[in-house]
Amino acid sequence: MIRSTLIAASLVGSTWAAQFTDWQQRSIYQLVTDRFAKTTDDTGACDSAARQYCGGTWQGIINHLDYIQGMGFDAVWISPAMANIEGNTTYGAAYHGYWPVNYNALNSHFGTDADLKALSDALHKRGMYLMMDIIVNHVAATTTPPALTYDQFQPFNAATDFHPFCFIQNYQNQTDVEQCSIGDPNLVLVDLNTEDATIVSTYNTWIKNLVSTYNVDGLRLDTVKHVRQDFWPDFLKSAGVFAVGEVLDDRYNYTGSYTNVVDTVFNYPEWFNLVKSFLNPQGDMGLLANSVDLTKQNFKNGALSTVSFSENHDNARNPSGIFDPMLIKSIITWTFGGDGIPVLYYGQEAGYSGGNDPMNREALWFTSYSTDVMYYKFVTTLNKARKLALADKTAKFATTPAEVASSTSHHIALSKYPMLTVLTNSGNSSANVQWSITNSGFKSGVTLVDVLSDACDTVQVGSDGSVAVTFKAGAPQVYLPTTSLNSTGPCGTKAQASSGSSSKQDNGAFRSQTVTSSAIASVLACALAFFVLA
């Protein structure tokens, strides 16, 4: 039975209660708390391979919010904050935060209660959101029953708080996935009985207090598929804020089913195809075109109910297997040009290239937080372009479903008014390649500006709605009409004042496309393997 109390309700404060529509206007910077920044700026050693704490803290994040906000991000996703298993295990220390043992306490390695509140306050003073990573499926142990003692856990400290012990043997068996434990005899993530009414009530109270105490704006839900689907609606109602669920699976129908019970999910099926498409010039861009259709068919509200990512803490960084910077840029660009809320994993802006876990969790302080880096500048421009699209009063960028305007095995154009994203996997060693986009979505005569190009290259929409583009050394392109630009944003000298007529502006640049009702309403090899432990 549960013998401990949760975070005291007396600590409860006010919350912004940010919802899905608020988060659609945002872009998210994901960091590993232990690896982003120390309280004091030193460049001490941090061996990723050792899987040990390196000293990153919540105060360290506060100290470097300028670095994050300078890229244009207005939301920060931090590692799980609850107390984790202490000491060394077969798989190292719990520096990542995914091996909880006590839901009533914070991870002291990251700081104090006051430090976490200070981080929340610092973000809000900047108009930024705090996303907290949480786990409700399990607690961590280094022994299995019958040797396992349950009084080491809080507040779930009795054998009856857990499912009868078993390891997951078959990931195609949903009962196994939901009621058996992840891991192995060296480190087991002991599965909580989330069918039990007392466990459910305890979790609902816990999350309500956590959100209120630390003024949390959004939640990242770990291991969502390992908890029964009908657990989530009441839990999220208790939280009262936006949530995105992690469902690591490459099946669109399986992953999409969770959009019926949580606000959004990470679009993992798309991610698998995204990396395959740009793995090398022999990749097939048709995979991405199919992904757009499959997401519309299987996700509630299509990709509008997703968070789009190109890297994270569970998978090898793309530059570990993709060595062409134009392909890396194109992968990142895709996540900013589509329907999903974009998220960038810390270190992408620095060109980090760590392989599979734990090598993809490098310390960022080795960069001295330099902003004079190609990828940092590139991501900054992408964020600015997306903000311009969101600010365009003639458009409804956040809620307009993206459409594949044209695609071949090597090129793809994604239209999401007022943005046209044009990508190729031909790479930076290719000669200039011309391509005609047959259904751009824009009306004849509209001038479009590639805001990613150094010269702010322009093209004019043809009489049939087509757009002729030239790929220069495989560079990604993001086009906006001149009326979407402003004098202070990218390509500001190309800005053109609107006509002042709302009716003309609503229809002047964009030619409507047919939209389906479903829309409106070694990098890959290890992705499904070791991630479950960390």
Side-chain angles (χ1 to χ4, degrees), residues 252 267-285 287-288 291 308-312 315-323 327-328 330-332 334-335 348 356 423-425 522-527:
Y252 288 86
N267 198 343
Y268 252 109
E270 178 185 81
W271 174 81
F272 282 98
N273 285 322
L274 177 62
V275 177
K276 289 176 183 176
S277 297
F278 289 102
L279 192 59
N280 54 53
Q282 285 70 52
D284 183 5
M285 300 292 278
L287 293 171
L288 277 181
S291 180
S308 187
F309 68 100
S310 53
E311 288 185 12
N312 63 26
N315 304 292
R317 292 186 181 274
N318 291 321
S320 68
I322 302 174
F323 309 112
L327 297 180
I328 297 299
S330 295
I331 291 174
I332 297 172
W334 176 265
T335 64
Q348 285 189 262
N356 290 307
L423 305 172
T424 181
N425 63 7
S522 71
V523 175
L524 300 174
C526 295

Side-chain angles (χ1 to χ4, degrees), residues 50-131:
R51 295 182 168 134
Q52 299 298 311
Y53 282 98
C54 288
T57 64
W58 295 316
Q59 182 59 51
I61 299 171
I62 295 171
N63 295 344
H64 292 283
L65 287 179
D66 282 348
Y67 174 85
I68 299 172
Q69 194 172 32
M71 272 182 285
F73 291 101
D74 40 25
V76 177
W77 156 18
I78 64 173
S79 304
M82 63 275 285
N84 271 227
I85 192 169
E86 287 292 343
N88 207 19
T89 74
T90 300
Y91 301 108
Y95 68 90
H96 42 70
Y98 292 100
W99 298 341
V101 293
N102 188 348
Y103 285 81
N104 294 333
L106 296 176
N107 190 329
S108 60
H109 294 273
F110 301 155
T112 65
D113 176 83
D115 291 334
L116 184 52
K117 290 176 180 175
L119 172 59
S120 180
D121 289 344
L123 287 165
H124 292 151
K125 286 177 182 177
R126 293 168 175 262
M128 301 172 75
Y129 283 173
L130 171 64
M131 174 174 281

